[in-house]
Amino acid sequence: MFRISNFVVGVANTLVMLVGASAIGYSIYMFVHQDVTDCESAIRAPLLTTGIILFLVSLIGVIGSCFKENVAMVSYLIILIAGIVALLVFSIFLFFVTNKGAGHVVSGRVYREYHTVDFSTWLNGFVGGKRWVGIRSCLAEASVCDDLSDGRVSQIADAFYHKNLSPIQTVAVVGDSVFVHGGLLAEHIEYGLERINEEVRGWIGGEGGRYAPVYCRGGNSVVWLRKFSDETPHKCDCSALEHALSTIPGVKRMIMGHTIQDGGINGVCDDKAIRIDVGMSKGCSDGLPEVLEIRKDSGVRIVTSNPLYKEKGGESKMGLGLLVPAEHVPKQVEVKA
């Protein structure tokens, strides 16, 4: 049994010794030849060190097992124990320097988002600069991430969002409703809704300079307007709203967000302005989820996750039936969140 054990240890170490010798040989080859890739340039020194360690440790193991040298065998076992302890320490070290980078949950995405700034300062400094060039080259050559090889990953996040968000419309007319983030004035409609969409799409895609178009900046812009969003109905400019809607053929109502409505989805100006920002984000007002449903056959209704919603002032109502359809009968639907 002892002879079999020695034979197994000897064969295993011989194989490891051959691996170490191959690593040493290949690293020397990369040092001698100058026409190496960034990946090969990055790994040749670590590969040479690893090869030398493997070769020496396995050589001690072969001597101890095949030639029955007790000193060599004890030394070999001590080195193995030290290696195991080193691996444990290294694993704990990796946990501490990467733990903060566990990823961020992003609304609307099935994957987490990772940021290098979430990792330790040491790790950021270690993989940055020239080291990242080598790491990136190795990942590309190994096809770990195919996009690395053509440079697409080098794009900043803004460029990614420009590419993928640009088709989104700034203003959308669907049926008898016009959707916009802040609101629309007659001057915006006169300028042209399709023109606005095209220009904003181009700006997001990198055209037109650093600043957004003028109709996207300032208190009266399509994304910042609050003339129709005040929770006090008489403060809403219904005349300006009616004038704006009258210039869009077939449109009866304007649906907007931007201004949080503490009382939930609601309508003003005879329901020509419907405000749907319920502030669901915990960073805002942590509002209850609600859905505005517009159906051709049954008008408008609000779908809510809670049958009781406390209005501002403490009064409660069932189903959030604020919007009155054509027949002036509130329609409410209660669903589970």
Side-chain angles (χ1 to χ4, degrees):
M1 185 68 182
F2 181 74
R3 290 181 179 178
I4 295 175
S5 299
N6 280 356
F7 175 78
V8 172
V9 172
V11 171
N13 279 282
T14 300
L15 294 175
V16 174
M17 188 165 61
L18 292 175
V19 171
S22 300
I24 294 171
Y26 186 58
S27 59
I28 292 174
Y29 169 83
M30 288 188 290
F31 273 109
V32 173
H33 290 77
Q34 299 301 317
D35 55 337
V36 293
T37 64
D38 290 329
C39 177
E40 291 172 330
S41 179
I43 67 171
R44 58 189 178 186
L47 184 63
L48 177 61
T49 303
T50 303
I52 292 173
I53 292 173
L54 288 177
F55 184 84
L56 293 177
V57 172
S58 57
L59 179 61
I60 294 173
V62 169
I63 294 172
S65 58
C66 295
F67 298 97
K68 299 180 181 180
E69 289 288 341
N70 291 333
V71 175
M73 202 60 188
V74 170
S75 300
Y76 174 73
L77 293 175
I78 292 174
I79 293 172
L80 285 184
I81 293 172
I84 293 172
V85 172
L87 284 175
L88 290 174
V89 172
F90 182 67
S91 299
I92 296 171
F93 172 74
L94 285 180
F95 174 79
F96 280 108
V97 298
T98 61
N99 188 40
K100 291 183 179 180
H104 302 269
V105 176
V106 181
S107 177
R109 300 181 192 174
V110 296
Y111 54 86
R112 290 174 178 262
E113 211 170 62
Y114 295 83
H115 304 276
T116 55
V117 294
D118 295 330
F119 296 98
S120 71
T121 305
W122 177 87
L123 186 60
N124 273 279
F126 183 78
V127 300
K130 292 182 178 180
R131 281 197 184 94
W132 172 243
V133 175
I135 295 171
R136 182 178 179 277
S137 177
C138 290
L139 292 174
E141 289 180 21
S143 298
V144 174
C145 181
D146 292 336
D147 289 345
L148 284 171
S149 58
D150 58 19
R152 279 181 282 173
V153 173
S154 62
Q155 295 176 339
I156 58 175
D158 286 344
F160 172 82
Y161 293 127
H162 288 170
K163 177 182 176 183
N164 292 276
L165 291 181
S166 58
I168 294 177
Q169 292 181 304
T170 306
V171 183
V173 177
V174 181
D176 57 2
S177 303
V178 58
F179 295 80
V180 62
H181 181 70
L184 287 172
L185 298 174
E187 61 194 65
H188 300 138
I189 300 166
E190 184 180 352
Y191 186 81
L193 301 185
E194 285 302 320
R195 185 179 177 185
I196 288 175
N197 285 334
E198 285 295 327
E199 291 179 355
V200 173
R201 188 178 298 120
W203 175 73
I204 293 176
E207 303 171 8
R210 175 181 178 184
Y211 298 103
V214 64
Y215 45 78
C216 287
R217 307 197 308 265
N220 285 331
S221 70
V222 296
V223 293
W224 289 100
L225 190 69
R226 298 184 192 272
K227 286 183 180 291
F228 319 130
S229 300
D230 197 295
E231 287 199 276
T232 306
H234 73 269
K235 292 184 179 180
C236 295
D237 194 341
C238 293
S239 60
L241 172 68
E242 291 176 2
H243 179 45
L245 290 177
S246 68
T247 60
I248 308 176
V251 170
K252 299 178 181 178
R253 66 179 71 86
M254 187 180 300
I255 300 172
M256 66 208 73
H258 185 50
T259 303
I260 295 173
Q261 306 294 309
D262 291 334
I265 297 176
N266 62 85
V268 293
C269 302
D270 295 326
D271 296 330
K272 290 183 173 68
I274 300 178
R275 295 87 63 85
I276 62 172
D277 190 341
V278 296
M280 286 192 296
S281 170
K282 290 185 178 180
C284 296
S285 59
D286 200 14
L288 294 174
E290 294 183 38
V291 175
L292 175 69
E293 184 180 64
I294 305 172
R295 301 178 64 180
K296 185 177 181 180
D297 58 342
S298 59
V300 177
R301 65 179 182 175
I302 299 169
V303 182
T304 177
S305 62
N306 196 331
L308 291 176
Y309 195 108
K310 293 295 182 180
E311 278 192 279
K312 196 173 182 180
E315 184 182 350
S316 63
K317 59 190 175 197
M318 293 293 293
L320 291 175
L322 276 179
L323 299 182
V324 182
E327 63 270 29
H328 301 292
V329 179
K331 290 193 175 182
Q332 310 137 9
V333 177
E334 177 187 337
V335 297
K336 293 183 179 181

